[in-house]
Amino acid sequence: MNLLEFWLSIRCFEILLDVIPTLLAITPVLLAVISTLLAITPVLLAVISTLLAITPVLLAVISTLLAITPVLLAVISTLLAITPVLLAI
């Protein structure tokens, strides 16, 4: 082993000694984040499941509203048409 290889191995060891405390310091934070994500996953799945369950209902409501819109427009049009007649009476 020449001097450069020896110096590089010592430098790598120094870097490891610098990195290991940092990794040890952030490990509890990472575990807390993972724990939080695991805790909220069932809630998120419940929300997604609820949204998927109400989607057909919402689509039915929208479809009904679209279906009755021409009828409502016809009623409004008729009322607007007979208003002058009613006012003239």
Side-chain angles (χ1 to χ4, degrees), residues 10 20 61 68 73 80-82:
I10 289 176
I20 288 173
V61 168
I68 65 172
L73 289 176
L80 288 173
I82 64 171

Side-chain angles (χ1 to χ4, degrees), residues 7 9 17 24 26 30 46-47 51-52 57 67-68 73 76 81 87 89:
W7 181 82
S9 66
L17 288 178
L24 290 174
I26 65 171
L30 291 176
V47 169
L51 290 175
L52 289 174
V57 176
I68 65 172
L73 289 176
I76 292 170
L87 289 175
I89 294 177

Side-chain angles (χ1 to χ4, degrees), residues 2 5 8 10 19 27 29 33 37 55-56 62 69 78 81 85 87:
N2 64 26
E5 290 173 341
L8 287 175
I10 289 176
V19 169
T27 299
V29 176
V33 169
L37 290 175
T55 299
I62 292 170
T69 299
T78 304
V85 175
L87 289 175

Side-chain angles (χ1 to χ4, degrees):
M1 177 184 294
N2 64 26
L3 187 61
L4 179 63
E5 290 173 341
F6 180 71
W7 181 82
L8 287 175
S9 66
I10 289 176
R11 185 66 189 129
C12 289
F13 185 69
E14 288 174 350
I15 291 171
L16 280 177
L17 288 178
D18 290 340
V19 169
I20 288 173
T22 305
L23 291 176
L24 290 174
I26 65 171
T27 299
V29 176
L30 291 176
L31 289 176
V33 169
I34 292 169
S35 174
T36 304
L37 290 175
L38 288 174
I40 65 172
T41 299
V43 176
L44 291 176
L45 289 176
V47 169
I48 292 170
S49 174
T50 303
L51 290 175
L52 289 174
I54 65 172
T55 299
V57 176
L58 291 176
L59 289 176
V61 168
I62 292 170
S63 176
T64 303
L65 289 175
L66 288 174
I68 65 172
T69 299
V71 175
L72 292 175
L73 289 176
V75 169
I76 292 170
S77 176
T78 304
L79 290 174
L80 288 173
I82 64 171
T83 300
V85 175
L86 292 176
L87 289 175
I89 294 177

